[in-house]
């Protein structure tokens, strides 16, 4: 498998941009999920380029951390995707410097506790992790405070570098 040419409709982008930053970014990430069949693994990694993976990683990060924090992000299998790839560096290059620092701080906790954080567990053991890893709480609160600003930074970067994220195709008249 190799990187696929990912296209998005100019009309869909215009419409989504009118609705907001989240919707604008979702046009791209929905296509990435479609191309990968919703699976991010060794078989589908080559289908996207690094910038596309960064944008998809940001969406997954927002969804997982927003819903259940870093423990959920890691338990759902996204720890390596976020922390063991150049996600934080790419976010810094996109202008999200404070967010990048937050990801590096979470990565340090992840690396020190990876085996425990990734192990299979029961629902009760999963819930107990929230108490054991309260060290994530401050980072989650900081992310909640900065999420809108970070999303704006990411959306601006994508808008200024569209060719890195997809080929924009004109709709047939």
């Amino acid at each position: 498998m190799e990187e696929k040419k990912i296209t998005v409709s100019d009309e869909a982008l215009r419409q989504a941009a009118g609705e907001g930053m989240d919707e604008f970014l979702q046009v791209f990430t929905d296509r990435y999920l479609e191309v990968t069949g919703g699976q991010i693994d060794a078989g589908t990694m080559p289908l996207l380029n690094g910038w596309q993976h960064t944008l998809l990683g940001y969406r997954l990060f927002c969804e997982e951390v927003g819903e259940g924090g870093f423990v959920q992000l890691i338990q759902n299998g996204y720890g390596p995707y976020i922390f063991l790839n150049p996600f934080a560096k790419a976010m810094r290059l996109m202008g999200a410097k404070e967010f990048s620092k937050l990801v590096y701080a979470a990565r340090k906790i992840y690396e020190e506790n990876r085996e425990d954080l990734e192990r299979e567990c029961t629902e009760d053991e999963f819930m107990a992790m929230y108490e054991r890893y309260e060290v994530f709480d401050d980072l989650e609160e900081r992310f909640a405070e900065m999420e809108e600003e970070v999303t704006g930074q990411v959306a601006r970067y994508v808008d200024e570098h569209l060719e890195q994220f997809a080929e924009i195709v004109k709709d047939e008249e």
Side-chain angles (χ1 to χ4, degrees), residues 5-140:
K5 182 180 281 192
I6 300 199
T7 59
V8 282
S9 145
D10 183 54
E11 178 59 31
L13 272 185
R14 288 179 193 282
Q15 183 177 345
E19 294 172 22
M21 299 176 294
D22 292 319
E23 292 80 3
F24 172 72
L25 296 175
Q26 189 172 340
V27 170
F28 294 94
T29 57
D30 281 353
R31 282 290 292 137
Y32 304 161
L33 289 170
E34 187 180 320
V35 166
T36 61
Q39 297 296 314
I40 304 301
D41 57 30
T44 61
M45 287 291 281
L47 298 175
L48 305 177
N49 70 33
W51 289 109
Q52 293 164 339
H53 277 295
T54 299
L55 188 55
L56 182 56
Y58 182 66
R59 174 178 173 167
L60 296 170
F61 184 96
C62 290
E63 289 175 354
E64 296 291 325
V65 173
E67 184 180 305
F70 285 101
V71 168
Q72 177 176 307
L73 173 91
I74 296 163
Q75 274 287 302
N76 283 345
Y78 297 116
Y81 189 61
I82 297 297
F83 299 122
L84 302 181
N85 282 306
F87 175 74
K89 179 181 181 182
M91 294 306 295
R92 181 176 48 81
L93 294 172
M94 291 173 118
K97 291 176 179 56
E98 290 306 309
F99 176 63
S100 176
K101 290 177 188 175
L102 183 142
V103 174
Y104 279 124
R107 176 183 174 167
K108 185 174 184 339
I109 299 164
Y110 167 75
E111 288 177 337
E112 291 169 356
N113 301 282
R114 182 175 178 186
E115 191 174 322
D116 184 47
L117 282 163
E118 290 183 343
R119 72 179 170 80
E120 288 286 323
C121 59
T122 66
E123 181 70 25
D124 288 342
E125 291 170 326
F126 171 72
M127 296 310 286
M129 281 187 171
Y130 285 101
E131 289 180 32
R132 271 202 320 282
Y133 294 102
E134 287 179 346
V135 65
F136 283 129
D137 291 354
D138 179 52
L139 297 175
E140 292 161 359

Side-chain angles (χ1 to χ4, degrees), residues 144-164:
E145 293 167 4
M146 70 171 67
E147 182 177 4
E148 189 174 334
E149 179 183 346
V150 173
T151 299
Q153 292 165 326
V154 171
R156 277 188 296 284
Y157 185 89
V158 171
D159 191 41
E160 292 167 6
H161 303 87
L162 288 172
E163 70 284 352
Q164 295 174 341

